[in-house]
Amino acid sequence: MVGAGETKECEMLSMDFLDDVRRMNKRQLYYQVLNFGMIVSSALMIWKGLMVITGSESPIVVVLSGSMEPAFHRGDLLFLTNRVDDPIRVGEIVVFRIEGREIPIVHRVLKIHEKENGDIKFLTKGDNNAVDDRGLYKQGQNWLEKKDVVGRARGFVPYIGIVTILMNDYPKFKYAVLFLLGLFVLVHRE
C-alpha cells in the first residue's frame, strides 16, 4: 500500500522531470534522444561483435537454476564460445537449446558417443541433478548433437546476473529500471 508521503514524493519527482523537459529547447531534447539512441545502438553493436568473436549466438548467459551447483550458482554470468573446430569433451560445461524450449540449459557433458563416420553425440547432466538429461530432451531424443550447442562456458562472474533474474521474475521491476535508465539519459545533460 502506498502512503500519502510516497505519493507526494512520486508526484514531485514527476513534476521535476517534466520541468526539466520543459526547460530544454528542441535542440537539447533532440540531442538527448539521439544520445539515448546511440547508447542503445552501441550496446547492440557490442553484442553482435561478441557474437562474431565467440562464434556463439549468445556469448553471455545467466545461470537460471541451481542444477549446476556447486560449479555455478543461480545468477552467475557465463561467458561462452562456440568454435566449430573445437571437439566436445566429457566434463565440459555446455549451454544447449532443446527444440520446443525457449530458454537454453547449462549442464556438463557426461558421455560422448562417436560414430564411425565422425559424427558425435553426447549426453549431459546437471552437477546437482540425480539423473542425466534424457528427460529434458525432446521426446524420442537420447543424445544431443553439436547443432544443439549454443556455447561452452569459458569463464564466469559470480551472482552478477541476479539483476536479470529479478527483471524476469518481477516485470514491474524491469519496467521501472528501464524507465529510470531512459529518464536518466534524457535528463542528464553531460
Side-chain angles (χ1 to χ4, degrees):
M1 190 168 211
V2 177
E6 290 177 21
T7 305
K8 281 192 178 235
E9 192 174 295
C10 287
E11 287 175 8
M12 295 205 36
L13 178 65
S14 173
M15 291 300 192
D16 287 344
F17 167 69
L18 291 175
D19 286 342
D20 285 344
V21 171
R22 282 188 197 123
R23 274 188 253 132
M24 283 185 195
N25 63 32
K26 283 185 180 183
R27 185 178 197 152
Q28 287 174 319
L29 185 61
Y30 290 145
Y31 175 77
Q32 294 302 97
V33 170
L34 281 173
N35 191 22
F36 183 71
M38 286 179 56
I39 289 170
V40 170
S41 63
S42 294
L44 289 172
M45 286 189 290
I46 290 169
W47 184 260
K48 289 294 185 181
L50 284 173
M51 287 173 67
V52 170
I53 291 167
T54 63
S56 176
E57 67 185 65
S58 186
I60 299 172
V61 295
V62 175
V63 178
L64 298 177
S65 74
S67 67
M68 279 303 292
E69 290 180 2
F72 299 120
H73 297 276
R74 190 170 192 254
D76 288 355
L77 189 72
L78 300 181
F79 300 102
L80 309 179
T81 62
N82 196 20
R83 294 195 173 62
V84 178
D85 53 342
D86 274 351
I88 293 175
R89 297 175 187 93
V90 171
E92 195 169 37
I93 297 170
V94 295
V95 178
F96 59 91
R97 197 177 301 273
I98 296 172
E99 190 177 315
R101 289 187 180 224
E102 185 178 321
I103 298 172
I105 299 170
V106 179
H107 281 174
R108 191 178 303 276
V109 175
L110 186 65
K111 293 179 186 175
I112 292 181
H113 177 71
E114 190 170 353
K115 293 184 177 181
E116 289 178 16
N117 66 359
D119 287 346
I120 294 176
K121 294 188 176 190
F122 57 95
L123 179 65
T124 56
K125 176 185 175 291
D127 291 356
N128 202 21
N129 294 349
V131 296
D132 62 42
D133 290 342
R134 287 184 179 148
L136 295 175
Y137 301 161
K138 183 176 68 172
Q139 191 169 3
Q141 181 181 11
N142 292 321
W143 300 87
L144 292 174
E145 297 176 20
K146 194 151 182 164
K147 68 175 177 59
D148 299 316
V149 175
V150 173
R152 302 171 206 193
R154 299 297 184 203
F156 77 101
V157 179
Y159 301 113
I160 199 132
I162 202 73
V163 174
T164 302
I165 292 173
L166 288 173
M167 287 184 173
N168 285 333
D169 289 352
Y170 304 102
K172 289 181 183 177
F173 176 72
K174 174 173 54 178
Y175 296 127
V177 167
L178 292 174
F179 173 76
L180 289 173
L181 286 173
L183 181 69
F184 177 77
V185 169
L186 286 174
V187 174
H188 192 67
R189 293 176 191 223
E190 292 178 21

